[in-house]
């Protein structure tokens, strides 16, 4: 297991202590605003999509329930009544 971990660490193309990627400066106002819009707009879109999908599933379920509940009335679902006859001699 430790050999695999050492191989993975050696294969890392960007080490964690690389100075090119150690930017710790704060974002300027425009970049911070754009980042916030990207982060929060995605949630709103996903939430709306989930709500629409749930509404569609509920509508389809209601239609299926109505379709199957009115498909057969009790008279159609039972056999015709038997007619009493005199016993055979």
């Amino acid at each position: 297991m430790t050999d695999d971990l050492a191989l993975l660490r050696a294969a890392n193309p960007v080490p964690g202590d690389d100075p090119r990627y150690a930017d710790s400066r704060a974002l300027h106002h425009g970049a911070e605003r754009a980042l916030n819009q990207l982060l929060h707009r995605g949630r709103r879109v996903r939430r709306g999509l989930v709500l629409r999908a749930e509404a569609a599933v509920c509508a389809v379920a209601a239609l299926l329930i109505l379709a199957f509940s009115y498909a057969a009335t009790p008279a159609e679902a039972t056999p015709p009544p038997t007619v009493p006859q005199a016993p055979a001699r």
Side-chain angles (χ1 to χ4, degrees):
M1 176 90 178
T2 56
D3 295 330
D4 294 336
L5 188 58
L7 287 173
L8 284 173
R9 285 187 180 146
N12 187 3
V14 181
D17 58 350
D18 193 345
R20 294 178 294 172
Y21 301 104
D23 188 16
S24 60
R25 297 175 293 171
L27 294 174
H28 59 84
H29 177 69
E32 187 172 352
R33 194 172 118 228
L35 179 63
N36 282 334
Q37 284 178 349
L38 284 173
L39 291 174
H40 297 295
R41 181 180 54 189
R43 288 182 189 162
R44 230 184 352 251
V45 169
R46 277 183 259 135
R47 186 178 302 140
L49 182 64
V50 168
L51 288 175
R52 286 185 193 119
E54 287 177 355
V57 167
C58 289
V60 168
L63 287 175
L64 288 175
I65 289 171
L66 286 173
F68 287 120
S69 66
Y70 290 117
T73 60
E76 294 172 353
T78 59
T82 56
V83 178
Q85 297 178 355
R89 293 189 189 206

